[in-house]
Amino acid sequence: MDLKLFGEVFVTLLVIVDPPGMMPIFLALTGPLAARDRNRAAWQAVALALGVIVVFAVAGQTILAYLHVDLPALQAAGGLLLILVALELLTGKSDDPNQQATSNIALVPLGTPLLAGPGAIVATMLFVQRAGGFTDYLAIAAAIVAVMVAVWVVLRFSGGIVKILRPGGIEVLTRIAGLLLAAIAVQLIADAIAAFVTQYLTMS
């Protein structure tokens, strides 16, 4: 296995996924839930993210080409989805734990587009395109799994923070997470628009 490629993929995806940055958003979405439900949401989100990244790594170009979808469009769609979630966090509509099932929270927005977002998908697809043989594919696969394990560990043991923050602290964290999420969403959409403009200018 190519350890240099493994390290490159691992560091790149770890920076994109950003487990420490994910923690406040994860706690904001799952803070009101019981510890068991929060732990289940963590592994469900990581499992979905792993599945999505693997699918796009194997057949990403084919899927996008078949649907006639450009990567910037995927990026903009992820940004719009995150804006909806951010508005819920900022307005407090997601404070009721009975309003959303745990699996829904884990799948959207945690699993995708937060963990398996446009950045992680595009980076993985580029690494796969550069791969020159079985050992390269093995290194990429091992790095993806290692990143997802690291994310799971961070989310799994974030429950201790909930006990420290208490309900009042969780509410403040929820508003902050909503603001951060809105900023991430706007950045995704802005990058997508810039990519569309660049693409248009290149074609003309």
Side-chain angles (χ1 to χ4, degrees):
M1 187 172 70
D2 188 343
L3 293 178
K4 181 180 178 183
L5 179 60
F6 171 85
E8 189 178 350
V9 177
F10 179 81
V11 171
T12 301
L13 290 181
L14 196 67
V15 170
I16 291 173
V17 175
D18 187 19
M22 274 292 301
M23 191 183 296
I25 298 170
F26 176 76
L27 292 177
L29 290 170
T30 62
L33 299 176
R36 181 179 175 183
D37 291 335
R38 189 165 52 250
N39 294 339
R40 187 172 63 191
W43 76 257
Q44 284 179 339
V46 170
L48 175 67
L50 178 61
V52 169
I53 289 176
V54 168
V55 167
F56 274 94
V58 173
Q61 292 286 3
T62 305
I63 293 171
L64 293 180
Y66 178 77
L67 296 174
H68 303 290
V69 173
D70 292 328
L71 287 174
L74 186 67
Q75 196 168 2
L80 290 173
L81 182 59
L82 288 184
I83 280 181
L84 294 176
V85 178
L87 288 175
E88 284 190 359
L89 293 177
L90 288 170
T91 57
K93 290 182 180 178
S94 62
D95 286 348
D96 184 4
N98 298 319
Q99 189 180 13
Q100 264 184 311
T102 308
S103 59
N104 291 344
I105 296 172
L107 301 182
V108 179
L110 288 176
T112 181
L114 285 175
L115 291 178
I121 289 171
V122 171
T124 305
M125 288 171 61
L126 291 176
F127 279 121
V128 170
Q129 286 178 356
R130 282 172 41 194
F134 175 76
T135 55
D136 287 350
Y137 291 126
L138 183 62
I140 293 170
I144 292 171
V145 172
V147 168
M148 289 299 126
V149 169
V151 172
W152 177 80
V153 169
V154 170
L155 298 184
R156 170 65 177 80
F157 294 101
S158 62
I161 300 176
V162 174
K163 296 177 182 178
I164 297 172
L165 291 177
R166 306 287 181 172
I170 289 293
E171 186 174 348
V172 172
L173 189 64
T174 299
R175 303 297 181 263
I176 296 172
L179 186 61
L180 293 174
L181 205 55
I184 293 171
V186 170
Q187 187 63 56
L188 280 174
I189 295 172
D191 290 345
I193 293 172
F196 274 126
V197 171
T198 303
Q199 200 173 51
Y200 174 77
L201 293 175
T202 303
M203 290 174 61
S204 60

